[in-house]
Structures are given as structure tokens and as C-alpha cells.
Amino acid sequence: MTKESKSGHPTSCASMADLMTVLFFDPSGMHYLPKNPKSFVSDRFVLSKGHAAPVLYCCWAENGYLEESELMNLRKVNSLLEGHPRPHLPFIDVATGSLGCGLGVTFGMAYVSKYMDKIDNRFYCLIGDGECAEGSIWESASLSSYYKLDNIIAICDINRLGQSQET
């Protein structure tokens, strides 16, 4: 996908392919309805490291929600598949890409689900190791602990691949 579009972050996608496989396709991973990604009872996934969107798109293609041929339209002008996930796609809840914002958004969704909607689902947030230096990540983690949000699973992809140097 990234080769065809001549744009993107293939190594960031590859470093988390195993994590995504377990989350999306193993019984120990997320519990969700592939044909109804907005179901309120389903577990949710937030890709905080939004530049790895191609691997997320591949998971939804494997689920049958996207046509596999559509994957080759990544970042093309008329394609729905942008470089970072955005909620105009039915399987994306929030836009991400500003490093550090994903866990804060996940916190908000998990809080509302647990304490207001009273739904017993989980919220997975995949974070890149580079964004772990952002204060907002640790503020969100602290708030999650304070509010006893045991429905958040933060996963950090430690690939040491920074933009200009090792993370």
C-alpha cells in the first residue's frame, strides 16, 4: 500500500502487525462485530500512532469490511483511505495522528462507557514508543488509574524507530 502510494510508514505498520493480528483475529483479543463496527457493545480500538493506518485498513479488509482492491488506493485523492485514520470511515471512532492524543481520547470513551452507559466493553489504544515521551500520555494514564478504568488496555509498540533517530 505504501509503495503504491509512494507515501507512508511501512516499518511502523510492520512493527505492529503481530499485535494487530492478535487483537483483531484471536479469541483472546478484541470482541467486536466485524459487520457492525459502531456497535456500542463491541470493544473499541484507537490507533494513537495514526501514521500506521495501513495496517488497520488491512485488518478491516481481512474482516471483509473493505474490498482488498481498495487498499491500493491509500492516500489517493478520491480514496477514503487517508494517511491517518479519520472517523468518516465506519470503523474509526476518532481521528488520531497528533502524537499523544490517542490515549486521552480512549480515556474519554472508556469513562463514558463504564460510568454513564454502563457497558462492559474494553478500549484498546495502540501507542507508539515515540509518543510515550508526550506528557499527555502520562496524564491520561494517571487519570485512568484515578478513575479505576479497568476497561482500558494501552499497548505500546516499542520499535525504536524515531523520525530522525532511535527512540
Side-chain angles (χ1 to χ4, degrees):
M1 289 168 64
T2 56
K3 182 177 185 248
E4 178 70 23
S5 70
K6 297 178 179 68
S7 176
H9 301 264
T11 55
S12 191
C13 294
S15 73
M16 56 187 259
D18 54 344
L19 298 168
M20 297 294 281
T21 300
V22 171
L23 285 175
F24 276 82
F25 305 109
D26 190 85
S28 66
M30 293 191 314
H31 301 112
Y32 65 104
L33 304 170
K35 299 298 182 202
N36 184 8
K38 292 287 188 189
S39 169
F40 284 103
V41 298
S42 290
D43 291 346
R44 294 303 225 255
F45 178 79
V46 175
L47 180 59
S48 189
K49 57 182 255 180
H51 54 276
V55 72
L56 178 60
Y57 300 152
C58 287
C59 288
W60 284 102
E62 186 65 27
N63 271 322
Y65 201 84
L66 288 173
E67 292 293 325
E68 199 169 309
S69 59
E70 179 63 25
L71 296 176
M72 292 301 116
N73 293 323
L74 174 71
R75 293 187 169 198
K76 290 185 179 170
V77 173
N78 294 325
S79 175
L80 293 174
L81 305 182
E82 298 182 33
H84 288 100
R86 288 195 357 175
H88 69 277
L89 293 167
F91 50 84
I92 306 293
D93 289 310
V94 296
T96 58
S98 297
L99 293 181
C101 74
L103 192 56
V105 172
T106 304
F107 164 83
M109 293 176 6
Y111 180 90
V112 167
S113 185
K114 181 174 183 162
Y115 291 114
M116 299 175 113
D117 295 336
K118 310 268 190 240
I119 298 173
D120 185 27
N121 56 352
R122 296 177 291 181
F123 293 80
Y124 294 85
C125 182
L126 203 142
I127 303 163
D129 52 358
E131 67 183 310
C132 284
E134 301 291 334
S136 59
I137 291 288
W138 299 104
E139 291 165 358
S140 299
S142 178
L143 277 173
S144 298
S145 174
Y146 179 81
Y147 285 104
K148 300 179 179 10
L149 294 180
D150 56 358
N151 57 346
I152 293 179
I153 297 93
I155 303 166
C156 190
D157 177 23
I158 308 289
N159 63 19
R160 300 182 60 198
L161 299 171
Q163 190 168 16
S164 60
Q165 63 188 15
E166 281 189 11
T167 303

